[in-house]
Amino acid sequence: MRLGICFLTSFAEVSELVAFLFSFFFFFFYPQEIISGESEEETNGVNLMEFSDEILLHILSYVPCTDLVLNVRRTCRKLATLCLDKSLTHTVILQKDYKVNKDKVKQLMRDIGKEIYQLNMAGCYWLPSSTIDHVTRCKNLVKLNLSGCHVTSLRLSKMLSTLQHLRSLAIDVNPGFDASQLSSECKATLSRVLELKQTLYTPSYGVVPCCTSLEKLLLYFEILDRSREGFMLSGQLMVGESNVPHYQNLRVFYARLAPGYVNQEVVRLYLAVLSDRTPENLHAFLISAPGSFAETGATKNLLDSMARNVRLDALQLPKAWINGSGLLQHLKFNNPFYFSFSRCTLSGGHLIQRVINGGKDLKSLTSLNLSGCVHCLAPESLFRKAEDDIDSSILESLVVSCCNLRHLNLSAAHHHSSESIGNHLCQLLSRLKHLLSLALPVCSITDVAANVEKPPTASNLVPQTFGRKVRIGIQTYPRNLADQANQKIESSVFWALMGSLRFLETLEIIGSSFSSAMPRNEPAIRNSLPPCVRAQSVGDSEVAAISQLTYLQSLTLAQLPNILTGSGLINIGLQCQHLRTLSLANLGMMGKMVYMSALMDMLKHCKCLRDLRLEQPYFCAGAQFFQALSHCSSLQRLCIVSRSGTLQSDAVMSFMANCLEVIMCHMFMGESLTVCKNLQQSIVRSFQADRPALNVVIFPLLHEDLTEVIRDVPMRHLDEITLFKSRVAEEPPNLWW
């Protein structure tokens, strides 16, 4: 038994399973002994109540706090004491606790409110605004996250007036927010806040003018250019609201912009103050902006001031601010842990010389985002074509200098390796033994030598079109690793890479020309470009290689053209038992989902899967698919995006009835508006009462009102699963909670 506990403490997933069975074990195996606490008779089993307090506290730490306080502690006197231990009540996380409701929060705050020092309610969009009133019982709160919750100006004022010890705050600023409604006591609390995270849905400074002691400021701009009524919004703020402090103590500044002109206008107002006086202690400066975000005189002054006065540990800038400038040559770095040059035209020569100083020791760097940097592995970018071979010496210098990288993103670019032995991209990356997450373009994992000798496959001979009538014969595929071994795929460079990264938790393999049909703020009328020629050979055998990643938790595969049967997916389902997030898009031939049979076999083994996203034209969401999906007993969120796709309403309803944990169902198909609305209403009527967090959106993908529907999706779901994007090294590690 002692060895068994050591195993549990080493593998969090097993501990979580033990915790889930904790209460069940008590009631069904030792009901009398536990309730009375008087019997000491020997039993044939092992009584968990005989474990030490340390072991029991470890197990209990994996049980949601609401269950601990409202249920488990009522089973016996010993658990009543342990469940109220400070190690369990100090931090309360309600984020993604989709079963919590207003009454549970009220009771929780009443029982242990004074013991809570950190409270995370991020993304609890289903709780009514009045729930926030109960937070006032937590008098000792130091850290509070209310992102995604409904909070009015008056409620925020009332709550913050009682939280005098608060030092960290995360909130949303919605239309109607009025800073003039904040009381003097509320402003006094805000003046002591050191960390602030604001998500802006309307042009506003929010509570920033009141936070005069800020050391960390995180801003998420989600402002749309048009109101619901269709009126254009302005990014100009009222003169009286511009009393923004000078951020004398600011150490971290982060801004992430959604597409839109207004977001750019508002962030410039925040940056104007920084350009006037750059904080001397600033060590992380990060701005993530899609598309074109032009540099202005004020931003240029800010960057010049930063180059003179600060030494940075983390840097991310819009591509226009870096491209064609000598900025990186002048910026100074201390012990950098995060760099993002996403979508920049930075060449490999500049990357080596200006960032790592010709091979400078950068062991402190843990996260690097080079997504969309098409020239970052080539000496120069002036005369190079995107499809040309990479310079392996640049990648080798990067690997040697940044040997402790944990997160690396090389997606959205063509990184083609030459035929030189030992210089393949996969072979060089295999030296990064500490990698936890990795994003690569499909064309980068091709085994060049094997590709030259390999005869054309069926997928090469069949045109990659959207046509329905595509036949490639009867599908057969191996169903276990032994059969795959007979195909001698273990000798490929990608197979070797997967074997060397045994502890990888997140993997993304995305076609360099892939674009999702699911829009952000525009109609869904985009067509994916054809896959790269080098990527034509990537298919089932490469997917099978992924099954070596025993600890894989998140997998994204997009635009793999040579998927014929999907056989590798079955191996992943069998071997990757920790898989929680799976995203598949445009695999195989576009006109036919040839891997459906293998996918259904895979799903039968994915007991820990919580999020599933499928994007494939002409996908049929029928009874067989949902019957296989019902085996995923832990599934919580489902998103299907399919141009010209169909669905069976009865199958969807049966699936929702069988999978009690599902709280998000998003389906954007080719069905009529009437069919979609009727199914959505049926799901809400049947299951909303028992699932307070239920969010259902079923809508035609090509309908003109799709963007209006998307704006009502809770940001947590929209950002994490509904919209397709690369998430590796998207933000610095541990940026917030």
Side-chain angles (χ1 to χ4, degrees), residues 434-601:
H434 301 287
L435 277 181
L436 296 178
S437 63
L438 176 65
L440 295 174
V442 175
C443 55
S444 72
I445 68 174
T446 303
D447 196 320
V448 180
N451 193 40
V452 173
E453 300 172 359
K454 186 182 293 184
T457 60
S459 64
N460 298 128
L461 300 175
V462 179
Q464 302 287 317
T465 65
F466 285 93
R468 286 178 180 268
K469 298 181 180 179
V470 179
R471 300 181 63 86
I472 61 173
I474 299 175
Q475 303 299 323
T476 59
Y477 49 83
R479 293 178 177 268
N480 55 56
L481 285 173
D483 294 331
Q484 291 287 2
N486 293 332
Q487 298 179 3
K488 297 182 179 180
I489 59 177
E490 295 91 335
S491 60
S492 72
V493 291
F494 183 65
W495 185 279
L497 174 63
M498 294 295 95
S500 66
L501 304 178
R502 294 287 186 173
F503 298 101
L504 201 69
E505 297 176 353
T506 299
L507 177 65
E508 298 177 352
I509 307 293
I510 304 174
S512 53
S513 54
F514 173 76
S515 61
S516 174
M518 191 67 202
R520 184 61 172 90
N521 291 326
E522 65 276 359
I525 58 176
R526 295 174 292 181
N527 290 321
S528 274
L529 297 173
C532 171
V533 176
R534 282 282 186 98
Q536 293 289 346
S537 62
V538 177
D540 297 318
S541 59
E542 285 76 17
V543 173
I546 299 173
S547 63
Q548 299 175 87
L549 303 176
T550 308
Y551 301 102
L552 189 67
Q553 296 184 18
S554 177
L555 174 63
T556 298
L557 301 174
Q559 202 181 40
L560 276 64
N562 202 33
I563 296 292
L564 297 179
T565 64
S567 56
L569 294 175
I570 302 175
N571 294 330
I572 293 175
L574 288 169
Q575 302 298 321
C576 305
Q577 288 296 300
H578 297 285
L579 190 64
R580 293 190 173 198
T581 300
L582 177 63
S583 177
L584 305 177
N586 290 12
L587 302 186
M589 291 172 296
M590 299 289 285
K592 186 177 179 65
M593 190 169 174
V594 294
Y595 61 96
M596 172 64 89
S597 179
L599 175 63
M600 290 190 294
D601 277 357

Side-chain angles (χ1 to χ4, degrees), residues 360-372:
K360 178 185 176 182
D361 183 4
L362 273 184
K363 293 182 179 179
S364 61
L365 194 67
T366 59
S367 188
L368 178 62
N369 189 344
L370 296 173
S371 173

Side-chain angles (χ1 to χ4, degrees), residues 387-430:
E387 295 81 6
D388 290 345
D389 290 346
I390 64 172
D391 186 332
S392 59
S393 64
I394 293 176
L395 180 58
E396 186 171 15
S397 297
L398 194 64
V399 168
V400 172
S401 302
C402 311
C403 57
N404 290 321
L405 275 178
R406 295 177 178 267
H407 314 280
L408 175 62
N409 194 329
L410 293 172
S411 64
H414 295 271
H415 295 316
H416 298 168
S417 298
S418 65
E419 297 182 33
S420 302
I421 298 177
N423 291 326
H424 194 283
L425 178 140
C426 291
Q427 293 171 322
L428 294 174
L429 292 183
S430 64

Side-chain angles (χ1 to χ4, degrees), residues 374-375 378 380-389 414 416:
V374 296
H375 306 297
E380 300 295 337
S381 60
L382 294 179
F383 303 104
R384 179 184 183 271
K385 295 181 181 179
E387 295 81 6
D388 290 345
D389 290 346
H414 295 271
H416 298 168

Side-chain angles (χ1 to χ4, degrees), residues 197-229:
K197 176 183 176 183
Q198 276 193 165
T199 303
L200 297 164
Y201 294 95
T202 187
S204 172
Y205 287 114
V207 299
V208 171
C210 304
C211 301
T212 55
S213 302
L214 282 181
E215 295 182 1
K216 178 187 289 189
L217 177 60
L218 277 58
L219 300 169
Y220 292 75
F221 295 87
E222 296 289 342
I223 311 168
L224 297 176
D225 289 344
R226 292 181 178 271
S227 66
R228 293 184 180 275
E229 295 75 22

Side-chain angles (χ1 to χ4, degrees), residues 643-663:
R643 183 179 300 184
S644 303
T646 59
L647 59 84
Q648 295 180 11
S649 298
D650 292 343
V652 178
M653 292 296 294
S654 178
F655 160 73
M656 292 296 295
N658 292 330
C659 294
L660 304 180
E661 301 296 321
V662 175
I663 55 86

Side-chain angles (χ1 to χ4, degrees), residues 593-650:
M593 190 169 174
V594 294
Y595 61 96
M596 172 64 89
S597 179
L599 175 63
M600 290 190 294
D601 277 357
M602 174 195 187
L603 293 175
K604 295 175 183 178
H605 305 290
C606 297
K607 303 302 181 182
C608 293
L609 191 66
R610 295 189 178 182
D611 295 340
L612 175 63
R613 187 186 192 277
L614 291 177
E615 180 171 342
Q616 191 83 24
Y618 302 107
F619 173 70
C620 177
Q624 285 187 322
F625 168 74
F626 283 110
Q627 185 177 3
L629 190 58
S630 297
H631 288 86
C632 302
S633 55
S634 299
L635 192 70
Q636 295 179 335
R637 300 190 291 187
L638 172 66
C639 178
I640 300 178
V641 179
S642 179
R643 183 179 300 184
S644 303
T646 59
L647 59 84
Q648 295 180 11
S649 298
D650 292 343

